[in-house]
Amino acid sequence: LVKGRHPPSFSRSATPSAAMVSLKLQKRLAASVLDCGKRRVWLDPSEASDISMANSRQQIRKLIKDGLVIRKPVKVQSRARARARLEAKRKGRHMGYGKRKGTREARMSSKILWMRRMRVLRRLLRKYRDAKKIDKHVYHELYMKVKGNVFKNKRVLMEHIITAKQDRLRAKQLQEQAEATRARTRAQKEKRMARMAARTGGLGGSIVQPQPSSTEETEEPHQE
C-alpha cells in the first residue's frame, strides 16, 4: 500500500460515476501486473474515470504507484480458536468416549508403546554400562529382564539397579567380615596351640628321664 493512501473499504458498492464505467479490462491488467487474482484487485471508485483511461500495463503500473490500484491483503483464517481448543485437549478436555473414532489399539498401538519402553530402558542400560556403573555381566542380566517385561518403567529399573548394588555391597562386606573373623580365629587357635606345645615341652624336660636298658646293665660287669 502507498503511504498515506488507504482504501476506505473493500465493499462491492460503487459510486454512480463508476457504475457507468466498465473497468473489467483495467482489473484484468492490474491482476496480471500484481500477480494475483482479479478478486484481490481494488480500484479506487472515486478515480474511476482516470482508471478507465488506462488501457496498458505501463499505465496500470503508474496507477499502482500512485495508489489508485491496490492489491488486497490475503484473508487469513484465525488460529485463535484452534489454539484454545488444542490447549484444552492437552488438559484432557474434549477427549471423552464420544469424541473417539477408533479403537484403543488403532489410536495408540500397544506395539508402539512396547517399542518406546524398550528403547528407553535399553538406552538407560547402555548409559550405565558406559559410565561403569554396571559391568557387562549385570548389563546382560538386566537386558534380558527388560526383554522379559520385568520392569514397568525407567524409575523401577533404576530402583532395581540401586537395590542390587546395595545388596552386592552388603554381601561383599559380610564376606569380608567372615574372612576376617576366620583369620582371627585361626590366628588365635595357632597361638593357643603354640602356647600349649611350649608348656608341654617344658614340663616333659624336667620330669621324664631316659632309663638304661637291661642289656647295657648286664654288659657293663663283663667289660670290667
Side-chain angles (χ1 to χ4, degrees):
L1 298 177
V2 179
K3 186 176 180 181
R5 191 172 187 78
H6 300 282
S9 64
F10 296 125
S11 61
R12 295 181 180 272
S13 61
T15 58
S17 60
M20 295 184 295
V21 180
S22 176
L23 302 177
K24 292 179 64 177
L25 173 64
Q26 288 75 17
K27 182 164 287 193
R28 180 177 64 81
L29 294 176
S32 176
V33 172
L34 295 172
D35 194 17
C36 63
K38 289 186 289 185
R39 296 177 59 183
R40 287 186 59 194
V41 175
W42 178 82
L43 304 177
D44 192 350
S46 61
E47 304 291 342
S49 58
D50 295 340
I51 296 174
S52 63
M53 299 297 293
N55 56 5
S56 65
R57 285 180 171 79
Q58 183 177 0
Q59 293 174 350
I60 293 294
R61 290 191 186 94
K62 185 177 184 304
L63 294 176
I64 292 172
K65 185 177 180 180
D66 294 340
L68 302 182
V69 178
I70 298 173
R71 180 170 60 179
K72 297 180 187 178
V74 178
K75 291 184 179 180
V76 294
Q77 186 174 359
S78 175
R79 290 280 305 168
R81 292 183 298 275
R83 283 193 294 268
R85 188 173 183 84
L86 183 60
E87 187 68 24
K89 290 181 76 171
R90 289 199 181 105
K91 297 178 180 178
R93 279 60 162 171
H94 318 293
M95 297 292 288
Y97 290 115
K99 294 294 184 181
R100 303 177 191 175
K101 294 297 183 182
T103 62
R104 176 183 297 181
E105 190 70 16
R107 288 165 61 86
M108 178 53 69
S109 175
S110 59
K111 181 177 181 180
I112 294 178
L113 295 176
W114 170 266
M115 290 166 55
R116 289 178 181 175
R117 183 150 58 98
M118 289 298 103
R119 287 169 181 171
V120 168
L121 298 179
R122 289 173 180 176
R123 191 181 305 121
L124 178 65
L125 289 179
R126 285 196 302 270
K127 179 180 176 182
Y128 276 20
R129 184 186 61 181
D130 296 340
K132 305 299 182 182
K133 293 184 178 180
I134 57 176
D135 57 7
K136 61 180 182 179
H137 305 290
V138 178
Y139 170 83
H140 181 70
E141 178 185 353
L142 295 178
Y143 189 96
M144 299 308 293
K145 285 187 176 182
V146 166
K147 184 178 180 180
N149 199 22
V150 175
F151 306 110
K152 181 179 179 181
N153 49 39
K154 188 165 72 172
R155 178 181 58 82
V156 176
L157 177 57
M158 293 173 66
E159 291 177 356
H160 177 83
I161 293 175
I162 294 173
T163 305
K165 291 177 69 175
Q166 291 176 352
D167 293 343
R168 282 196 299 273
L169 181 61
R170 191 180 303 110
K172 184 178 180 181
Q173 291 176 352
L174 292 174
Q175 184 178 2
E176 291 177 354
Q177 291 176 3
E179 290 290 341
T181 303
R182 283 195 293 268
R184 187 167 55 251
T185 304
R186 191 182 306 111
Q188 291 177 356
K189 184 177 180 181
E190 292 176 355
K191 186 176 180 181
R192 187 169 58 252
M193 293 295 292
R195 190 166 56 248
M196 289 176 62
R199 186 183 307 165
T200 305
L203 293 175
S206 60
I207 296 175
V208 179
Q209 294 181 358
Q211 296 180 359
S213 61
S214 58
T215 56
E216 292 177 355
E217 291 177 356
T218 56
E219 289 178 356
E220 282 179 324
H222 179 70
Q223 289 177 358
E224 290 176 358

